[in-house]
Amino acid sequence: STDLTSTVGYDSIIQHLNDSRKNCKEFEDFLKERAIIEEKYGKELINLSKKKPCGQTELNTLKRSLDVFKQQIDNVGQGHIQLAQTLREEAKKMEDFREKQKLNRKKIELIMEAIHKNRNLQYKKTMEVKQTCCSFLPYGALLYLSTLSHFWQLFLKLAQTKSALEDSDRSYQQNVITLEKIREEWQKEHIKACEFFETQECERINYFRNALWLHVNQLSQECVQNDQKYEEIRKSLEMCSIEKDIDFFVNLRKTGSLAPAPVVYENYYDTQRNPTPVRSPVPVPISRRGPLPTPTSAPGEPDYTTVDGYSLI
């Protein structure tokens, strides 16, 4: 501003820096809220995997797959809890950065406030002295005219007035010189403050951008780690064998390899008529069962398929 005492430009910069600090605080709060959500989600997943039954009576390979499934869900929950802690740490870093900038900026603001106050006081004093000096001029001219008729009576008063006028003029000149020195000092400090604020704002934008980039990378990394956990489930399901599970159940629950023998007829009424009891043929072992039927999916049920090396359901 052309007004020496105006701070409109400086105030605009300070307002922008305050808004920037507020933006950092908003991102900081966002990270904290996301951390709460991630932690709650992780705990819910862990509780689900530990407390909710999921095929607890299954046997053999499918049981192992279900065990891996529940363990990996637990691991995913642990991952979300760890992500929540990471987000809190990032929020704390943002808070420390924000407070550090605030403290450093406060030092410059105190210097600028002091120099603004000194500049304004000197400007006010200079203007008051100038006004005083100007007020003597018409009074001095009046005294000069009065000397034509009252020379002797007013001579002493005129001399005093002239002396006061000269003193006022010297004071005015000195104040102008002092004000100019203060103005030059203020201008130098103002430039230094603007350069500092600009550097600080560059640092803030760079830090903010990197913090956001890091946050997105953390979320991506969590997705990659989750996919690795889910891949363990897929690998376990690939090892699941329908035939092995059926054989395992048969061997676990089998009661024998011979079918019950037919009932033998014995004639207790006429022993002469049929002395030899009728016997059934010797029971033979049950032959190995045929191949297992291929599982089919009813309409609307998921199929087992392979896509890009992944076994999906």
Side-chain angles (χ1 to χ4, degrees):
S1 173
T2 55
D3 183 3
L4 182 59
T5 60
S6 174
T7 58
V8 60
Y10 177 80
D11 293 340
S12 178
I13 294 176
I14 296 300
Q15 180 62 46
H16 175 72
L17 295 177
N18 290 334
D19 291 341
S20 299
R21 181 170 175 268
K22 180 181 178 182
N23 293 336
C24 290
K25 182 64 167 60
E26 290 175 351
F27 181 65
E28 174 191 327
D29 293 339
F30 179 89
L31 291 179
K32 291 179 180 179
E33 290 295 327
R34 179 64 187 267
I36 293 174
I37 295 172
E38 291 291 340
E39 183 176 45
K40 182 178 179 181
Y41 179 57
K43 289 181 178 179
E44 291 293 335
L45 284 179
I46 293 174
N47 290 335
L48 179 65
S49 65
K50 290 182 177 180
K51 297 180 180 180
K52 189 69 175 177
C54 185
Q56 59 184 352
T57 61
E58 284 294 345
L59 302 173
N60 207 34
T61 62
L62 182 55
K63 176 177 173 55
R64 288 197 294 270
S65 294
L66 289 172
D67 290 341
V68 172
F69 166 71
K70 295 190 69 176
Q71 181 58 50
Q72 294 304 325
I73 292 300
D74 184 276
N75 291 341
V76 171
Q78 295 289 353
H80 281 282
I81 292 177
Q82 181 59 43
L83 176 60
Q85 181 60 30
T86 301
L87 295 179
R88 289 192 179 95
E89 292 173 0
E90 293 303 319
K92 185 62 171 61
K93 291 179 182 179
M94 176 62 76
E95 180 182 4
D96 293 341
F97 173 79
R98 180 171 52 83
E99 290 300 319
K100 180 181 178 181
Q101 280 210 328
K102 177 184 176 182
L103 293 176
N104 291 336
R105 188 168 69 244
K106 190 64 177 178
K107 298 176 183 177
I108 303 299
E109 290 180 9
L110 290 175
I111 294 174
M112 293 303 296
E113 288 175 4
I115 202 167
H116 284 163
K117 183 177 180 180
N118 187 30
R119 179 199 62 184
N120 293 345
L121 288 175
Q122 183 60 38
Y123 180 81
K124 181 179 179 181
K125 181 179 179 181
T126 301
M127 294 300 101
E128 289 176 350
V129 173
K130 178 181 179 181
Q131 186 65 30
T132 302
C133 181
C134 292
S135 66
F136 275 113
L137 294 177
Y139 186 60
L142 179 61
L143 289 177
Y144 177 75
L145 294 175
S146 300
T147 56
L148 297 177
S149 56
H150 305 89
F151 179 79
W152 297 107
Q153 294 85 355
L154 300 178
F155 178 77
L156 181 59
K157 192 172 183 179
L158 177 61
Q160 293 174 346
T161 302
K162 181 180 179 182
S163 176
L165 180 60
E166 291 174 351
D167 291 341
S168 178
D169 184 66
R170 284 194 298 270
S171 177
Y172 172 53
Q173 291 180 13
Q174 187 61 40
N175 276 277
V176 169
I177 294 173
T178 303
L179 178 60
E180 178 58 21
K181 292 181 179 179
I182 293 176
R183 188 196 67 80
E184 292 177 353
E185 181 184 3
W186 159 75
Q187 187 166 311
K188 291 178 182 179
E189 291 296 330
H190 182 78
I191 292 174
K192 288 170 58 178
C194 289
E195 291 174 347
F196 175 83
F197 293 151
E198 182 176 356
T199 300
Q200 195 175 57
E201 182 67 359
C202 290
E203 292 176 353
R204 186 196 68 84
I205 294 174
N206 183 65
Y207 189 90
F208 202 153
R209 182 191 63 179
N210 291 343
L212 190 57
W213 190 292
L214 178 61
H215 174 61
V216 174
N217 284 348
Q218 289 167 346
L219 298 180
S220 296
Q221 181 64 27
E222 179 65 18
C223 292
V224 171
Q225 292 175 354
N226 285 345
D227 186 68
Q228 292 173 351
K229 297 178 179 71
Y230 299 142
E231 177 63 16
E232 292 298 320
I233 300 173
R234 289 190 285 266
K235 290 179 179 179
S236 176
L237 290 173
E238 288 177 348
M239 301 300 296
C240 178
S241 169
I242 298 175
E243 184 174 351
K244 287 181 179 180
D245 284 4
I246 297 297
D247 287 342
F248 181 85
F249 171 76
V250 170
N251 293 328
L252 180 67
R253 304 298 184 189
K254 66 183 178 180
T255 57
S257 59
L258 297 176
V263 178
V264 177
Y265 170 76
E266 297 181 15
N267 188 347
Y268 295 100
Y269 176 73
D270 187 358
T271 58
Q272 296 297 324
R273 182 178 175 184
N274 189 15
T276 304
V278 178
R279 295 182 178 274
S280 300
V282 178
V284 295
I286 299 175
S287 62
R288 180 71 170 85
R289 67 184 183 278
L292 295 173
T294 302
T296 59
S297 300
E301 293 184 355
D303 296 327
Y304 288 83
T305 60
T306 300
V307 179
D308 294 335
Y310 290 99
S311 295
L312 307 175
I313 298 179

